[in-house]
Amino acid sequence: MFEQRKEFEGKIWKVCFDGTLMAVCEKTSIATNYYLINTEDLTTLGTLINPQFDGMSELSRLKDSILFFYLYPDMTDPSDFKIIQLDMEQNVTELTELPLEDINAKIPERYLETDQYFADVAGFLENKIGRSPVRALDYMEIENSILISYYLYEGQLLSLNFSIFNKKGNLVFDTVLERNLQAIGTESFTFNGDGVYFVRDGSVLCKLKAS
């Protein structure tokens, strides 16, 4: 498998896809920045450095190089929100609804420890590579591959691991995405037709595809 990487200064907070484009939300200690990325080679096509909003913003979609957000003027009331779009010239427009999501971008199924499927996938990992996941795991089957990200205890903390198996159950890719975690996060990888995207060590965007 061939892996491409792109490193950011801050933490990668969220990614959104639209065909061969992706938007990356990066948070540093002093700013929240947004990048428009070409998914083919992970080059940066545009940058928005710390745009200012009247309230708390949450990146939701990407469409035609435009970013779409939920905007919360009153951070104590999540039911009070607006939908806005922001282009690469930082022009802001308020909308009544979001555009449709990119149907090619697929996220895995999330299974918690209390779910029956968690036990089934955990048994598969135990049998194949001798690991016993905890808390939660993400599972996806694409083409001829089985993709699983899962948490393991490392002392009192957690590590997030990512393994890919072929249809015969043989391990073909294995890595640790992050260590020293105190809690589980949201889904940890995305398949977008041309490859699998994930974040390593919080700030390294990775794309994995068959070599």
Side-chain angles (χ1 to χ4, degrees):
M1 288 190 170
F2 175 66
E3 182 178 328
Q4 297 169 268
R5 300 182 183 183
K6 185 179 185 66
E7 188 165 358
F8 290 80
E9 176 185 352
K11 285 276 190 179
I12 297 175
W13 202 254
K14 186 168 184 176
V15 298
C16 297
F17 292 87
D18 180 34
T20 59
L21 297 177
M22 68 185 301
V24 175
C25 172
E26 170 211 41
K27 294 193 177 186
T28 70
S29 59
I30 59 173
T32 300
N33 308 315
Y34 300 91
Y35 301 87
L36 188 64
I37 306 293
N38 183 334
T39 62
E40 295 180 351
D41 55 11
L42 301 188
T43 54
T44 300
L45 303 177
T47 305
L48 293 171
I49 301 297
N50 204 30
Q52 299 299 303
F53 299 99
D54 185 19
M56 184 182 72
S57 62
E58 177 187 356
L59 177 64
S60 178
R61 304 278 167 83
L62 170 67
K63 186 69 175 179
D64 298 330
S65 301
I66 296 174
L67 306 181
F68 295 82
F69 297 82
Y70 287 112
L71 182 65
Y72 301 91
D74 182 359
M75 290 183 288
T76 64
D77 183 7
S79 65
D80 178 21
F81 65 88
K82 300 177 181 178
I83 298 172
I84 62 169
Q85 70 176 37
L86 178 69
D87 63 25
M88 299 310 292
E89 284 72 47
Q90 298 205 32
N91 298 308
V92 177
T93 305
E94 186 171 343
L95 306 172
T96 57
E97 61 182 13
L98 289 168
L100 296 176
E101 288 187 281
D102 183 356
I103 61 173
N104 293 313
K106 303 182 185 304
I107 61 174
E109 292 290 337
R110 163 59 59 95
Y111 299 124
L112 301 176
E113 271 185 314
T114 53
D115 297 327
Q116 175 58 45
Y117 283 117
F118 181 96
D120 296 340
V121 179
F124 174 83
L125 290 170
E126 178 71 34
N127 179 56
K128 294 297 181 180
I129 54 177
R131 297 176 188 168
S132 301
V134 297
R135 302 283 188 91
L137 56 82
D138 295 332
Y139 181 89
M140 178 186 290
E141 293 186 22
I142 54 169
E143 299 171 349
N144 296 313
S145 300
I146 300 170
L147 292 70
I148 311 172
S149 66
Y150 50 95
Y151 294 88
L152 299 174
Y153 279 126
E154 290 190 348
Q156 299 299 314
L157 298 174
L158 298 166
S159 67
L160 176 58
N161 303 259
F162 183 40
S163 301
I164 300 178
F165 301 83
N166 61 25
K167 286 297 185 180
K168 295 181 180 179
N170 299 320
L171 184 67
V172 296
F173 180 80
D174 191 41
T175 190
V176 178
L177 299 184
E178 198 160 4
R179 285 192 159 95
N180 300 319
L181 300 171
Q182 296 183 340
I184 64 175
T186 57
E187 67 276 351
S188 51
F189 62 88
T190 304
F191 177 71
N192 193 42
D194 66 337
V196 180
Y197 296 79
F198 54 90
V199 176
R200 183 182 279 120
D201 298 323
S203 61
V204 182
L205 176 66
C206 301
K207 176 186 177 181
L208 189 69
K209 62 181 181 179
S211 56

